[in-house]
Amino acid sequence: MAEVTLSKVVKKYDEVEAVRGIDLNIADREFVVLVGPSGCGKSTTLRMIAGLEDITGGEIMIGGDLVNDVPPKDRDIAMVFQNYALYPHMTVSENMSFGLRLKHFPKAEIKKRVDEAARILDITDLLDRKPKQLSGGQRQRVAMGRAIVRDPKVFLFDEPLSNLDAKLRVQMRTEIKKVHQKVRTTTVYVTHDQVEAMTLADRVVVMNHGTIEQVGEPNDLYHSPATRFVAGFIGSPAMNFIACGLEKSAGALKLRVPPDLVFDVPADRTKRYEPYAGKKGLLLGLRPEHLTDTRVAAEPGQQKLDVTLNVIEPMGMETIVFFTLGGVEICGRVGSKAGARSGERMSLLAHLGHMHLIDGDSGKVV
Ligand SMILES: Nc1ncnc2c1ncn2[C@@H]1O[C@H](COP(=O)(O)OP(=O)(O)OP(=O)(O)O)[C@@H](O)[C@H]1O
Ligand SMILES: [Mg+2]
C-alpha cells in the first residue's frame, strides 16, 4: 500500500506537450479516477506513474520514494490495460500466477494468493479453464486477478472495461468497486467515461489539454464544478449553457436571457453575482434535471418557463425534452407522465437555486 504524489509533472513528445506540469496527491488506499476527453493526457500520466514513459520534468513519488529513475519492474505496481492479453495456452490459474512464478515465489504462497484472488473475484470455478473458454467479463476478471496476486503497492487501470459491451461494463464497474473495498490497494484508474469515473472514484481528477481542471469527490464535482469545462463534462445529459446578462434594477438583481426572459437571481446568490452585473459574456449553466415539469415540490429559486418542445425522448423513468432558449437548444427532464409532446407548448420550472454562473472570459464558475 502506498500514496502516490505527482509534483509539477511534465511530459513532452517533441513538439507536443502531453502533460503540462500537473500536481496530484493520491492517498494510501484511495481510488482515484483520471477522466477527460481523448488526448487530454490520461494514459500518458498513468504510464509515467508506471514508469513506462520517462518524465520530462517534475517528480513522481510512490510510497514516499522518488521513482523518476526507477524502472517499472521495481516500482511495485500492477497495471491492467484495455487489451489485457492473457496467455492463450495457459489456464486461468497459470495466467494469474505467471508473474509470481517468474519471481520464484514459493509454490504454497502462489497457491494461497491465487486462491484468495479467485475468491475475491468469484472465479474459483474457472481456475482450470483456458482464456478462450471464458466470456469477456470473465477474462477481464482474470486480468484483474493477475494484478491482485502480485499484491502491489498501487493498481493502475487504463480503460480496462472499454472492450466490453455496455451491460457488462456496468457489471464489471460494480465488481471493480467491490474488489477495491476488499483489497483497498491504492488505485489510479483512467477512463473517458464520466459515469464510470463518478461511480468508481473516491476522488475524480478531470483533465483537459494536459492539465488538471479540478479534483474532487464525485458529488462535489457535480454540485460545484469550478470551470465551464468540468460543468459540461460531468453529468449526463450535459449541463445547458445559455448566454445571459445580469442587471440591477430597483436594488434587485435580475438574470436576463435574451430576448425576453427575466428571472430573479436567487437570494443566496445575489452577493456573489452582483459584481458581474452589466458584464458581457456571461453564461447561465443549468442542468437538464433542473428544468422539470411543474409538479415537483416547491423550492426556493424555482421560476416558471413556458416553452415549445422541439423533440422529446421518452426514457421510461422520465422523458428528456428539447426546446430552444436564448438561441440554443436546451435539454430538460420531465416525468414520463407529464404530458410532454413534440411541437407542443409546455410549462416548465427552472430551478435557479441550482444554477451556475460562468464568466465566459475566464471559463470559471463564479
Ligand atoms: N508516443 C507519442 N508520441 C507523440 N505524441 C504522443 C505519444 N503518445 C501520446 N501522444 C500525444 O499526447 C497527448 C496525450 O495522449 P494520451 O494517450 O495521454 O491521451 P488520453 O487522454 O489517454 O486519450 P484517450 O482517451 O484517447 O486514450 C495526445 O495529444 C497524443 O497525441
Ligand atoms: Mg488513453
Side-chain angles (χ1 to χ4, degrees), residues 114 165 193 204 217 226 266 283 311 332 358:
V114 169
D165 65 51
D193 178 345
V204 178
E217 292 178 18
L283 287 173
V311 187
I358 295 137

Side-chain angles (χ1 to χ4, degrees), residues 38-39 41-44 82 158-159 190:
S38 185
K42 307 179 293 293
S43 296
T44 304
Q82 176 178 349
D158 194 349
E159 311 246 10
V190 163

Side-chain angles (χ1 to χ4, degrees), residues 244-248 251-256 262-274 277 282 284 300-303 352-353 355 357:
C244 69
L246 280 175
E247 289 165 10
K248 248 175 131 171
L253 196 60
K254 303 274 185 191
L255 181 77
R256 180 181 285 279
V262 181
F263 295 124
D264 296 325
V265 169
D268 61 336
R269 313 275 176 132
T270 43
K271 220 184 183 133
R272 186 157 29 121
Y273 290 174
E274 227 166 35
L282 296 178
L284 162 65
Q302 287 174 343
Q303 299 192 38
L352 293 183
M355 69 169 280
L357 183 68

Side-chain angles (χ1 to χ4, degrees), residues 152-298:
K153 281 188 192 153
V154 182
F155 285 138
L156 302 175
F157 291 92
D158 194 349
E159 311 246 10
L161 306 184
S162 46
N163 277 353
L164 306 178
D165 65 51
K167 190 168 166 207
L168 195 53
R169 213 155 57 210
V170 172
Q171 262 173 29
M172 282 304 295
R173 194 165 83 195
T174 317
E175 293 304 319
I176 290 178
K177 192 153 188 171
K178 284 187 194 154
V179 167
H180 183 253
Q181 281 168 4
K182 286 178 197 157
V183 300
R184 288 278 163 209
T185 304
T186 309
T187 301
V188 190
Y189 186 107
V190 163
T191 178
H192 61 270
D193 178 345
Q194 57 96 16
V195 177
E196 207 167 287
M198 295 282 282
T199 49
L200 278 172
D202 292 322
R203 282 189 308 152
V204 178
V205 177
V206 182
M207 294 187 66
N208 186 22
H209 290 310
T211 62
I212 292 178
E213 288 265 335
Q214 191 173 0
V215 182
E217 292 178 18
N219 282 332
D220 291 342
L221 291 192
Y222 174 87
H223 290 291
S224 311
T227 62
R228 177 186 173 162
F229 180 82
V230 175
F233 193 79
I234 300 289
S236 176
M239 188 185 287
N240 299 294
F241 296 106
I242 312 162
C244 69
L246 280 175
E247 289 165 10
K248 248 175 131 171
S249 73
L253 196 60
K254 303 274 185 191
L255 181 77
R256 180 181 285 279
V257 176
D260 53 7
L261 271 175
V262 181
F263 295 124
D264 296 325
V265 169
D268 61 336
R269 313 275 176 132
T270 43
K271 220 184 183 133
R272 186 157 29 121
Y273 290 174
E274 227 166 35
Y276 293 85
K279 194 167 187 305
K280 293 236 184 308
L282 296 178
L283 287 173
L284 162 65
L286 201 54
R287 294 194 184 278
E289 46 273 43
H290 300 134
L291 284 159
T292 65
D293 46 300
T294 49
R295 296 168 313 143
V296 298

